């Protein structure tokens, strides 16, 4: 049996994807990106994940069809690419 989406339909048909479970983005500032996505797209917070130090390591924002956007705090000291450096400056599936 093929994987199913939340509405019960197939996720893929003839090699084409019809649903997404979630998208995950690493961020350097969780509060700033939460405000951006909540204000711009009016996305509801589904779940907050604590970091064990009194803060948050992640939060999930609801998308249509049962999918969610996971905003994940990037590890401390992780490189932060300058504009145009990521993926050799090539636009791809990482752009939302």
């Amino acid at each position: 049996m093929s994987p199913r989406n939340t509405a019960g339909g197939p996720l893929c048909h003839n090699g084409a994807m019809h649903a997404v479970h979630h998208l995950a983005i690493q961020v350097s500032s969780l509060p700033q990106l939460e405000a951006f996505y909540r204000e711009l797209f009016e996305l509801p917070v589904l779940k907050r994940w604590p970091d064990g130090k009194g803060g948050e390591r992640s939060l999930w924002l609801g998308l249509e069809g049962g999918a969610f956007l996971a905003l994940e705090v990037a590890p401390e000291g992780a490189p932060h690419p300058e504009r145009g450096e990521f993926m050799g400056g090539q636009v791809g599936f990482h752009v939302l």
Side-chain angles (χ1 to χ4, degrees):
M1 181 174 190
S2 300
R4 312 303 270 182
N5 64 26
T6 56
L11 291 177
C12 294
H13 180 70
N14 295 329
M17 186 183 304
H18 292 273
V20 172
H21 181 266
H22 72 278
L23 300 170
I25 302 174
Q26 281 193 332
V27 301
S28 56
S29 174
L30 192 57
Q32 285 181 329
L33 271 290
E34 175 186 357
F36 173 77
Y37 284 104
R38 291 196 66 203
E39 291 171 17
L40 183 63
F41 299 111
E42 299 180 350
L43 302 178
V45 173
L46 300 178
K47 184 157 182 130
R48 294 180 183 275
W49 296 91
D51 65 5
K53 298 179 250 175
E56 294 178 334
R57 66 173 176 85
S58 175
L59 66 91
W60 293 356
L61 300 172
L63 301 172
E64 287 190 26
F68 64 91
L69 173 61
L71 300 178
E72 309 278 342
V73 175
E76 195 169 317
H80 189 273
E82 296 298 321
R83 185 177 183 95
E85 283 185 3
F86 189 70
M87 300 290 291
Q90 302 298 312
V91 174
F93 291 115
H94 56 274
V95 176
L96 298 177

